[in-house]
Amino acid sequence: MTAAVPTDAELIAAHAAGDPAAFSELVRRHRDRMWAVALRTLRDPEEAADALQDAFISAFRAAGNFRAESQVTTWLHRIVVNACLDRMRRRQARPTVPLPETGFNEPATPRDSMADRETRLVITAALDQLPEDQRTPIVLVDVEGYSVSETAKLLGIAEGTVKSRCARGRAKLAKVLGHLRNPDAIANVPTSESKRRREAR
């Protein structure tokens, strides 16, 4: 008679109790799924691998605090996403210039590349202006394509909270990034000086 296969929660409890093999089994079960989450979030295999390693180290250390208020997979998802967001913040703080997508001896298009890089930097700077509680769900929903329900589970908050935080963040981004959608709009925005001139007429 074969022994019953332990559940994820039982493996977490066994690990917290000192079983040296329990966490390795948990990693074996969920590594591929967590890898997919990290790669989907970061879109860079090396960054995703590093984030996944960071996440499993964090999970290893925090397993004793797991209270089974959510599924183990949801708990792991949250840790992986947080590790990815940490790497994204560090990467945004040190923006790098992407390699040109041109072949050997092919002429580059520096103006287009520079414009694309400047646009990315503007968007990154705009995201950085948002409070963390708004930036994180916007990155997950609008940038990475997670659904509202997935994002709510990953962040451990209600779906309505995700929607309201995204709405507030998008409103702020719309003001900051409106010129990217309509570059001519800036010329039509009345300044305080022009308003005073019109009022004086």
Side-chain angles (χ1 to χ4, degrees):
M1 186 174 179
T2 58
V5 177
T7 65
D8 290 345
E10 288 171 343
L11 286 174
I12 286 283
H15 166 67
D19 185 339
F23 194 79
S24 296
E25 171 60 21
L26 198 68
V27 170
R28 186 194 65 77
R29 287 184 186 182
H30 300 292
R31 179 177 50 226
D32 290 347
R33 186 175 178 183
M34 296 303 119
W35 163 251
V37 171
L39 188 60
R40 181 182 178 186
T41 303
L42 291 170
R43 293 193 172 94
D44 182 317
E46 291 185 7
E47 287 281 309
D50 289 341
L52 191 61
Q53 182 177 358
D54 292 345
F56 278 132
I57 290 173
S58 296
F60 183 92
R61 293 172 176 169
N65 298 323
F66 180 71
R67 293 291 177 265
E69 295 172 355
S70 63
Q71 292 185 351
V72 172
T73 51
T74 301
W75 177 72
L76 286 174
H77 265 86
R78 192 176 305 143
I79 293 175
V80 171
V81 168
N82 285 337
C84 291
L85 292 175
D86 285 342
R87 289 202 160 264
M88 290 171 67
R89 283 191 288 269
R90 290 199 292 269
R91 189 168 59 188
Q92 289 166 2
R94 300 189 303 272
T96 57
V97 180
L99 293 175
E101 297 179 1
T102 55
F104 182 68
N105 285 338
E106 289 182 8
T109 55
R111 197 170 80 174
D112 290 342
S113 297
M114 184 61 69
D116 289 344
R117 179 170 180 265
E118 288 176 352
T119 298
R120 284 195 295 272
L121 290 176
V122 168
I123 293 173
T124 296
L127 284 169
D128 285 345
Q129 293 179 34
L130 295 178
E132 182 70 24
D133 66 337
Q134 294 174 14
R135 181 169 65 246
T136 301
I138 281 182
V139 167
L140 290 173
V141 174
D142 293 342
V143 179
E144 303 305 330
Y146 287 97
S147 69
V148 170
S149 62
E150 288 173 327
T151 300
K153 291 177 182 177
L154 291 175
L155 299 179
I157 57 179
E159 291 184 22
T161 304
V162 173
K163 292 178 181 178
S164 63
R165 290 179 180 179
C166 283
R168 290 198 300 270
R170 287 169 188 149
K172 293 176 182 177
L173 289 176
K175 294 178 181 178
V176 178
L177 300 175
H179 64 283
L180 294 179
R181 179 176 297 178
N182 183 10
D184 296 329
I186 294 178
N188 299 323
V189 175
T191 63
S192 57
E193 182 63 29
S194 64
K195 288 180 180 177
R196 283 197 295 270
R197 284 200 299 267
R198 283 202 304 270
E199 292 169 356
R201 290 175 183 172

